[in-house]
Amino acid sequence: MAAVPMVELWRGGRLESAHLGHAVVWGPGGIEAAWGDPAAVIFPRSSCKMIQALPLIESGAAAAAGLSARQLALACASHQGAAIHTEAVTAWLAALGLGEADLRCGAHLPNDPEAQKALVCSEIAPCQIHNNCSGKHAGFLTLTRHLKAGPEYVDPAHPVQRAVREAFEDVTGEASPGFGIDGCSAPNFATSVAGLARAMQFFAVANPEGNRREAAASRLARAMMAYPEMVAGEGRACTHLMRAMAGKVAVKTGAEAVFVAILPEQKRGIALKIVDGATRASEAAIVALLVRYRALAPAEPVVAKYLTGPQRNWRGLVTGELRLAAGFA
């Protein structure tokens, strides 16, 4: 089954670009709706950070370190590198008796405009704490210390990554066909779009009083919904969408146009992948599905921001329109 058109850009009355993709909605009885190929194998990239954080709680490492819900949200984050993120990671590492040098995520300029300007103007080089995955890596280090394991926690053979893979394959319901190395140097395990949606549905129905994995999943989903600013940051779709849904739905983006949603009240999970990697299309597609399943009110301003509407140039002139494809609308 091939990917299907999901989002289109029109200019001058003509179709200029079409973004094809796959999407799955998984409910209590399994797949409820699908577009494209549910079996398409993808790298979930950062959309699966809540899965990668499961061993952090299940192992007892989070409890031993006294991690708060705010820190658990940061463990699931692709943050902006704003002060609220970097200060939180710095304090987290210090509480562990660790520092920036213990991270293995690499350094890049923060995406937060104020933080980026401060570094550039002061001619201070960014460090690994500015990496958008530093919260996830602080979680990995917390688990590493708890397990008394070696420092190279991003090695696929390391106990941390073996625990992540076991949790990943359990909640997706699939043996992963392999992994790629993510931008932050950690292994990213492949799965199908359906498997990723199944995992999100597991988080949606996880019982806080259930077994260790269910309790961990419930706690992570609730942390994300309670602290959307820690999961992404100001100006980001994840934060905007979770705020608009008033803490009732968790969403998470991943590089190369992956997006997931956890809908506890509906007991549903959603996963989608735009095959050309376009963020504008993955954001529009997830908003369309959230509106379709009444998790997001059509009148919310974020719908107009990310879903469809006129495209303007630098002079403010309308140059085109973003639309949902006919088979996806």
Side-chain angles (χ1 to χ4, degrees):
M1 297 173 65
V4 297
M6 298 176 83
V7 180
E8 300 172 343
L9 181 68
W10 288 72
R11 186 186 304 267
R14 296 178 180 275
L15 176 63
E16 182 175 34
S17 298
H19 301 289
L20 282 66
H22 311 281
V24 172
V25 178
W26 195 293
I31 295 178
E32 294 183 344
W35 295 262
D37 184 3
V41 175
I42 65 168
F43 290 114
R45 303 297 297 273
S46 288
S47 76
C48 71
K49 282 182 177 176
M50 71 291 286
I51 303 176
Q52 294 173 306
L54 284 171
L56 172 64
I57 299 177
E58 295 172 355
S59 65
L67 298 187
S68 65
R70 188 170 183 266
Q71 287 172 304
L72 293 178
L74 188 56
C76 301
S78 299
H79 64 69
Q80 290 285 80
I84 62 167
H85 306 123
T86 56
E87 290 171 3
V89 173
T90 300
W92 185 346
L93 294 176
L96 296 173
L98 302 172
E100 185 266 348
D102 295 293
L103 295 168
R104 296 292 184 267
C105 52
H108 64 70
L109 274 172
N111 293 317
D112 178 75
E114 289 186 13
Q116 187 175 122
K117 180 180 179 181
L119 287 179
V120 171
C121 292
S122 63
E123 298 185 349
I124 296 174
C127 70
Q128 294 184 98
I129 289 173
H130 295 106
N131 188 297
N132 70 311
C133 296
S134 65
K136 178 179 80 172
H137 283 248
F140 284 160
L141 280 169
T142 304
L143 180 56
T144 296
R145 192 186 71 162
H146 187 74
L147 298 175
K148 298 180 173 58
E152 301 306 320
Y153 62 84
V154 294
D155 187 325
H158 191 277
V160 166
Q161 299 307 328
R162 292 205 306 267
V164 169
R165 181 165 192 158
E166 186 280 323
F168 184 86
E169 292 183 334
D170 179 51
V171 298
T172 59
E174 301 175 359
S176 176
F179 64 88
I181 300 303
D182 214 334
C184 68
S185 299
N188 194 251
F189 298 104
T191 191
S192 69
V193 179
L196 187 57
R198 180 186 189 273
M200 294 306 103
Q201 200 265 345
F202 173 81
F203 278 80
V205 300
N207 182 354
E209 305 299 326
N211 62 33
R212 283 190 299 176
R213 182 147 295 162
E214 288 181 350
S218 174
R219 191 174 172 194
L220 288 165
R222 285 184 283 118
M224 292 174 68
M225 291 184 284
Y227 295 96
E229 70 281 0
M230 301 306 292
V231 175
E234 301 307 321
R236 293 280 302 284
C238 289
T239 296
H240 285 165
L241 290 170
M242 286 192 280
R243 283 176 175 166
M245 293 181 287
K248 295 181 179 180
V249 174
V251 298
K252 184 70 184 72
T253 190
E256 300 302 322
V258 183
F259 230 120
V260 299
I262 299 166
L263 292 75
E265 290 185 355
Q266 300 186 24
K267 297 181 171 56
R268 288 186 172 114
I270 298 174
L272 66 87
K273 161 71 177 177
I274 301 296
V275 297
D276 64 9
T279 298
R280 72 177 180 191
S282 63
E283 290 175 345
I286 195 67
V287 170
L289 290 172
L290 291 169
V291 170
R292 177 190 291 266
Y293 284 91
R294 296 183 174 83
L296 182 62
E300 285 288 345
V302 290
V303 175
K305 179 177 178 63
Y306 293 110
L307 183 50
T308 57
Q311 304 292 294
R312 297 180 183 275
N313 67 10
W314 296 110
R315 289 187 60 204
L317 301 177
V318 174
T319 59
E321 181 183 9
L322 196 68
R323 302 179 187 175
L324 294 179
F328 187 66

